Amino acid sequence: MNTLLPQDALFDGNAEPWTSLPVCDHYAGIEKRMIKSLEMQAEMGPVFDVTLDAEDGAPIGGENDHIELIASIINSEANLYNRVGARVHPVTHPAFENDVRMLFKHGISRLAYLMLPKARNLDDVRNAIAFISRCADEANAPLPPLHALIETHGALHDVWSIAGLAQIQSLSFGLMDFVSAHGGAIPAQGMGAQGQFTHPLVVRAKLEIAASCHAHGKTPSHSVITEFNNADIVFAAARKACQQFGYTRMWSIHPSQIRPIVDAFKPDLVEINDACQILMLAYQNNWAPIRYKSEGQDSLHDRASYRYYWHILRRAKQTGCTLPQEVEHLFFEHQ
């Protein structure tokens, strides 16, 4: 009887290269919003991450108190799923080292990841990793997964190398700072929900980041949408980021954006059904090629397409879709 699951059978005996992260990364920098975000996460389940912001969230002069607050929240009962990360100050900022040390001192065991902002180039990311690694050694603690923001000219130039760093789990596009770095050459519309998908310089940056992440098995995380009061606009932008630009995760900056983003990243029901039937049939045939017949199609499949449908099932699972009991039991309960 076949015992190989998709993650074992479809990647030639190697570890599956893609990390499975929730499709939404929600940012909160004020204590009230941090608590509200974790309440929503408890209600919806771990379909989105919460990133507590020590960079833009900290008042000038209050950086130490703010990182202590973040560490206490990470260690609190409110962190129900251990899917809370933290954005620290840039490696060039005087508060960076204290941010990292405080997190290792108080909250590292339950920290889902560290976000590294404002890297000017590959060397900045390497320097940040080196310091965090030293802190991990001093604390006799594991190195947390690291995420990096690509928001400068130099970081975009080095994005392929940054994505290739073993410690990096995900790259995010920092739209607002990227546009501002062009000194007015990109109009304000380039930061909007529609213009950021059409301006050539912004489109180029999005595609470079997504392509480098997929080449190295990392998660590309899409930039913010500032229009938070219109769920339809948020949904449409998230859908475009997912289906046309290759992003598998997206930032939220207001609680009202979380549900539209999660919904936009859900696979279509028809595709989920196809994925379930194709993978179950492949499993029953020990992952040999199969013929799949359903309403409106008669097609042949092998491990190349099996891998595609496995990603569809994983994303369905990540976004809270209900899967058939047999599929749930066979492919997910024993992971």
Side-chain angles (χ1 to χ4, degrees), residues 226-282:
T226 57
E227 296 93 332
F228 65 89
N229 272 329
N230 190 317
D232 291 338
I233 289 177
V234 176
F235 179 90
R239 197 72 165 170
K240 186 171 290 188
C242 173
Q243 295 192 345
Q244 296 182 26
F245 283 75
Y247 282 80
T248 57
R249 182 171 164 97
M250 181 170 169
W251 281 34
S252 160
I253 54 172
H254 190 274
S256 65
Q257 295 181 326
I258 294 173
R259 292 183 189 275
I261 290 173
V262 172
D263 288 343
F265 276 78
K266 289 180 178 179
D268 293 326
L269 291 178
V270 171
E271 197 162 37
I272 293 174
N273 180 66
D274 286 341
C276 290
Q277 294 194 48
I278 288 170
L279 290 179
M280 285 300 297
L281 187 57

Side-chain angles (χ1 to χ4, degrees), residues 91-106:
V91 67
T92 54
H93 192 283
F96 168 75
E97 293 190 1
N98 184 64
D99 284 352
V100 175
R101 290 191 186 280
M102 291 299 293
L103 288 172
F104 269 94
K105 182 178 180 181
H106 296 297

Side-chain angles (χ1 to χ4, degrees), residues 73 146 239:
I73 292 175
L146 302 179
R239 197 72 165 170

